[in-house]
Amino acid sequence: MERGTPLAGPRMLLKRLRDTMARGVSAEETLAEVVRLVANEMVAEVCSIYILRAGEVLELFATQGLNPSAVHRTRLRVGEGLVGDIAAHGRPLALADAQSHPQFAYRPETGEEVFHSLAGVPILRAGRVLGVLVVQNRTRRQYDEEEVETLQTIAMVLAEMVAAGRLVSPNEVQQVDGIGLLPLRVDGVQLTSGVAIGRAVLHEPRIVIQRVVAEDVGAEQERFEEALASVREDVDRMLEAHDMQSGEHREVLETFRMFVDDRGWRERVREAIASGLTAEAGVQRAFDDVRTRLGQSTDPYIRERLSDLQDLTNRLLLRLTGRTNGESGGQPEDMVVIARDMGPAELLDYDRSRLRGVVLEEGSALSHVAIVARALDIPVVGRAPSVLSRVEPGDTIVVDGDSAQVLVRPSEDVVQTIYAAIDARAERRRKYAALRDLPPATRDQARVGLYMNAGLLIDMQHLEETGADGIGLYRTEIPFMVRSEFPDVEAQAWLYSRVLDIADGRPVTFRTLDVGGDKVLPYVDAFGDENPAMGWRAIRIGLDRPAMLRRQLRAMLQAANGRPLSIMFPMIADVSELLAARRLLELELDRARRRGLPEPERLRVGIMFEVPALAWQLDSLLPHVDFVSVGTNDLMQFLFAADRGNARVSARYDTLSPALLRLLHFVVEKVRPAGVEITVCGEMAGRPVEALALLAIGVRTLSMSPGAIGPVKAMIRSLDLTEASAFVSSALTQPDRPLRETLRLFAADHAVEI
Ligand code: PEP
Ligand code: MG
């Protein structure tokens, strides 16, 4: 078979396409010329262009070889026939015997029955399908990889022409913010409950390439090498400036090593440029090729590499286009943010009044982004595989935290069902709101302390709404994380004092800084532990940097200004740490006295029980504390040696495992007789079944995110605690089976609302 040399052919073709465009003839003539040129170049009897029109229809817009009368008559739905299949999956197809393919849909008006082989590629722009380019031959011809790549290159040029309105009038094309592909369901895990609907915003938006065809291939090769060198320099600088071990930078480095030094990838880009593309189009082409080959893989390692390559591609495209993205039009009114992963500060950068939901490719329920999202009452689905490559900005997205699903481009009836679910949820909320002023007491009159976790001033509004008894955990680090420098004593004191003002006499427990681990302060450079969750974090930093901790304690005393104050130290692993922290508090109390500041009317000091070792130090610890608050998020990860932020392992261990409950039972039995209050403030406390188990083993105070107060109160008010305690005690003596199912049955039998 005759073809030009692989490089000269497409390059010549691109040049001819450009010349055709430059002649300024009508769109119809241009299209006719394009299909003629492509058919010629590909030695194909047929070349056709289908364009996606409003209503999910692919319409034949131009053809060389099929019946000309089929133009604008032949229409296929996305997903219908081979052309529809290419559009639906956004990937090429090359078939020697197309008619025997199960998807083949015969259209008599085209006269295509005599053509046996077919190769087609999607016309993609910024990942969105705009149409399909197809060639066909009479013989059963095997199209090779190079030929398919040539078609992809042409499709890129066509995409720019379509987008620029040069081939088809823009109002004939499916609107860019409309539905481009078939609806899709992506299963993930629930990070935050709730259901929301909105339009997709990519956290790191894709870059739209404006210039596809190169004027000067040599110059484009140089631009590519320069961009690569400068991305390499950026990474080197980052590595110098920060600790090389810290997660993000190491990942970048690895991506870099994998692809920049990967001759195969580099060669692909260089070849694409040599075929007549600009450097940016070449980089995009190389990525599209890899995605076509590996995109269907479910292997997590491959998926991870693919998102790494997407990162590198984005960095290069940013460099090469000097642009940020195609979404400069601002954020939609109802955003669903899609990201690979995200820190809590990044989430807070979004306008809360427009943010409806979040979808992450990674993430786990105990990560801080999830905790912040919960505080903001935003549904989040995590571990949604390759969602970034399947969603386009502007797509309608349903985030269904309750069933851990993401619906991409749902059909109209699904949208209606979702609105109904959102209404039903609002109805449930009204029901919980009706419980607001009723006491959280069980049927057999055990009064439970029902407190709320908070970390932002905006959380405080929920105190009144939920009728919680107070704030059981105020995470002070969140304001530290979203600033660009360390807040001074005045700024901290102002904040804590506002919190106390809003609480209006209800108790607030302030936890001292719990940074480190996944809670990174942008202005503290000293992190970078290889194993951050078990590294230099929380009280360990506070004790090593006593001035920092003292300033925070000073701010708390100043804010209280004589009002009752409750302070909690996180991550205590050894009694000596608590004693050291208490000494710093004493120093600050002395300082306050010397300055004539009123002492808190009542000062309560407690610790977070997060490190298992503390269970065997309770006798010496308890005389020094007023309360012990169990942080099950961290306790679980240390107890089971399973990183709470690592999606692969964090869900392996059930919060209702007998191991955890027996440990907690042991602690409760030690703490309560000593007259010390015991609270649970980890996420576990906010789930009705878990809360039931905690009450049954003797916990009487729970602190949780605001959204959990209603459901947990409903559970408490329907519970007979005496029965539940007897049931759980006996269940805990059984062999090591998770209690979840047994407790559900118990709840069903005893009409406990869970
Ligand atoms: C915990 O560890 O359970 C806890 C409440 O603290 P944080 O989630 O902030 O680490
Ligand atoms: Mg913790």
Side-chain angles (χ1 to χ4, degrees), residues 656-667:
L656 287 175
S657 87
L660 177 71
L661 289 176
R662 286 185 195 130
L663 171 66
L664 293 182
H665 190 217
F666 169 80
V667 174

Side-chain angles (χ1 to χ4, degrees), residues 511 514 519 537 571 608 610 631 633-634 644:
R511 177 175 74 183
D514 183 13
K519 301 171 217 176
R537 58 172 285 200
M571 279 283 290
M608 288 204 66
E610 294 166 292
N633 306 342
D634 273 310
R644 68 192 260 185

Side-chain angles (χ1 to χ4, degrees), residues 485-498:
E485 57 184 28
F486 217 93
D488 60 19
V489 175
E490 293 312 315
Q492 291 185 58
W494 176 86
L495 180 71
Y496 306 147
S497 148
R498 284 292 299 139

Side-chain angles (χ1 to χ4, degrees), residues 368-659:
H368 280 88
V369 65
I371 289 171
V372 171
R374 214 163 295 143
L376 299 176
D377 204 12
I378 296 167
V380 184
V381 170
R383 284 190 260 159
S386 16
V387 72
L388 271 176
S389 55
R390 300 178 185 190
V391 165
E392 297 308 323
D395 275 347
T396 301
I397 306 281
V398 172
V399 186
D400 184 347
D402 296 345
S403 50
Q405 279 180 0
V406 182
L407 306 177
V408 181
R409 301 176 286 269
S411 62
E412 192 45 39
D413 41 334
V414 172
V415 169
Q416 292 312 325
T417 320
I418 295 301
Y419 279 124
I422 292 173
D423 288 347
R425 194 178 162 84
E427 180 55 38
R428 269 201 309 279
R429 288 198 167 194
R430 278 192 287 279
K431 186 189 112 189
Y432 294 139
L435 296 180
R436 182 188 170 283
D437 296 320
L438 299 175
T442 61
R443 281 184 14 229
D444 48 344
Q445 304 311 316
R447 173 66 160 90
V448 178
L450 214 47
Y451 288 75
M452 199 186 95
N453 293 348
L456 296 166
L457 263 186
I458 59 163
D459 294 340
M460 294 299 294
Q461 71 196 25
H462 300 301
L463 193 52
E464 195 56 36
E465 265 167 40
T466 57
D469 289 318
I471 305 291
L473 163 64
Y474 195 93
R475 290 184 167 98
T476 58
E477 57 277 357
I478 296 176
F480 282 74
M481 288 156 74
V482 296
R483 283 166 170 259
S484 55
E485 57 184 28
F486 217 93
D488 60 19
V489 175
E490 293 312 315
Q492 291 185 58
W494 176 86
L495 180 71
Y496 306 147
S497 148
R498 284 292 299 139
V499 172
L500 290 171
D501 292 347
I502 301 172
D504 195 21
R506 276 168 289 203
V508 176
T509 296
F510 289 105
R511 177 175 74 183
T512 63
L513 262 190
D514 183 13
V515 288
D518 65 335
K519 301 171 217 176
V520 179
L521 299 188
Y523 40 88
V524 175
D525 209 35
F527 302 123
D529 292 327
E530 240 185 275
N531 205 341
M534 297 202 264
W536 195 54
R537 58 172 285 200
I539 196 68
R540 300 165 186 184
I541 299 179
L543 296 177
D544 288 350
R545 296 275 166 86
M548 185 171 113
L549 181 54
R550 280 187 64 175
R551 278 203 297 275
Q552 190 176 32
L553 296 170
R554 193 176 308 159
M556 287 176 186
L557 292 168
Q558 216 165 292
N561 196 22
R563 291 179 279 191
L565 181 63
S566 177
I567 297 177
M568 172 157 80
F569 296 110
M571 279 283 290
I572 298 285
D574 192 279
V575 180
S576 63
E577 292 167 340
L578 167 70
L579 299 180
R582 284 206 77 127
R583 275 195 294 279
L584 296 179
L585 179 59
E586 282 305 327
L587 290 174
E588 283 307 317
L589 277 165
D590 281 347
R591 187 177 189 276
R593 275 183 215 115
R594 283 200 308 277
R595 287 167 192 247
L597 209 86
E599 270 190 49
E601 187 188 312
R602 197 159 86 93
L603 178 61
R604 296 174 79 233
V605 175
I607 55 115
M608 288 204 66
F609 176 70
E610 294 166 292
V611 182
L614 214 54
W616 293 275
Q617 302 172 64
L618 290 171
D619 290 335
S620 44
L621 175 96
L622 292 173
H624 304 286
V625 289
D626 300 295
F627 62 92
V628 168
S629 190
V630 186
T632 45
N633 306 342
D634 273 310
L635 181 61
M636 283 287 289
Q637 76 165 343
F638 298 131
L639 196 60
F640 288 103
D643 181 354
R644 68 192 260 185
N646 179 338
R648 285 210 192 103
V649 297
S650 60
R652 287 186 79 88
Y653 306 94
D654 192 2
T655 34
L656 287 175
S657 87

Side-chain angles (χ1 to χ4, degrees), residues 2 8 119 145 162 168 178 185 270 290 412 420 543 564 566 670 686 691:
E2 279 179 320
E145 212 175 289
V162 173
V168 189
R185 195 187 89 186
R270 294 191 63 88
V290 177
E412 192 45 39
L543 296 177
S566 177
K670 281 265 182 199

Side-chain angles (χ1 to χ4, degrees), residues 96-321:
D97 187 6
Q99 295 182 15
S100 65
H101 191 280
Q103 281 285 87
F104 181 76
Y106 173 56
R107 286 302 164 91
E109 73 276 11
T110 59
E112 65 181 333
E113 61 276 14
V114 293
F115 303 108
H116 287 281
S117 49
L118 174 148
V121 297
I123 301 173
L124 292 166
R125 189 166 193 262
R128 173 176 289 272
V129 174
L130 298 182
V132 175
L133 170 68
V134 177
V135 291
Q136 290 172 279
N137 281 78
R138 282 173 196 273
T139 53
R140 288 182 170 76
R141 169 179 167 183
Q142 295 286 354
Y143 299 92
D144 64 27
E145 212 175 289
E146 254 169 34
E147 288 172 305
V148 173
E149 284 176 9
T150 301
L151 282 177
Q152 284 178 300
T153 301
I154 298 161
M156 273 186 107
V157 181
L158 288 175
E160 294 317 306
M161 292 176 172
V162 173
R166 284 188 285 182
L167 292 186
V168 189
S169 125
N171 50 16
E172 286 190 80
V173 184
Q174 170 94 26
Q175 287 302 305
V176 176
D177 60 354
I179 296 165
L181 290 168
L182 284 180
L184 193 74
R185 195 187 89 186
V186 184
D187 293 318
V189 299
Q190 180 200 89
L191 300 196
T192 313
S193 62
V195 180
I197 185 162
R199 295 211 285 147
V201 168
L202 303 188
H203 182 53
E204 284 180 337
R206 239 167 255 154
I207 298 122
V208 176
I209 298 166
Q210 308 281 5
R211 211 168 56 86
V212 176
V213 183
E215 304 283 335
D216 173 351
V217 169
E220 295 301 320
Q221 298 285 20
E222 254 172 55
R223 286 181 65 229
F224 169 59
E225 291 302 334
E226 274 166 22
L228 206 53
S230 87
V231 171
R232 183 196 290 272
E233 266 172 36
D234 282 356
V235 175
D236 288 348
R237 251 198 310 277
M238 270 155 72
L239 289 170
E240 269 167 35
H242 298 270
D243 190 311
M244 216 175 104
Q245 296 301 325
S246 84
E248 190 199 345
H249 304 127
R250 196 172 50 209
E251 245 174 60
V252 172
L253 179 73
E254 277 169 8
T255 309
F256 211 75
R257 281 212 186 111
M258 282 220 42
F259 294 106
V260 175
D261 299 330
D262 177 294
R263 287 178 56 85
W265 172 79
R266 225 165 140 160
E267 260 327 292
R268 266 183 182 276
V269 179
R270 294 191 63 88
E271 268 176 27
I273 298 173
S275 76
L277 295 177
T278 55
E280 50 270 42
V283 168
Q284 183 66 53
R285 262 300 312 282
F287 176 71
D288 290 343
D289 286 351
V290 177
R291 183 163 62 175
T292 304
R293 279 185 292 120
L294 305 180
Q296 307 304 312
S297 167
T298 50
D299 179 330
Y301 178 78
I302 290 182
R303 300 236 59 97
E304 185 68 14
R305 296 284 74 77
L306 201 55
S307 28
D308 284 350
L309 182 58
Q310 171 100 63
D311 278 359
L312 177 63
T313 301
N314 279 352
R315 276 168 199 273
L316 284 169
L317 291 182
L318 273 179
R319 257 305 132 190
L320 288 163
T321 59

Side-chain angles (χ1 to χ4, degrees), residues 61 98 329 345 422 689:
F61 259 69
I422 292 173
V689 182

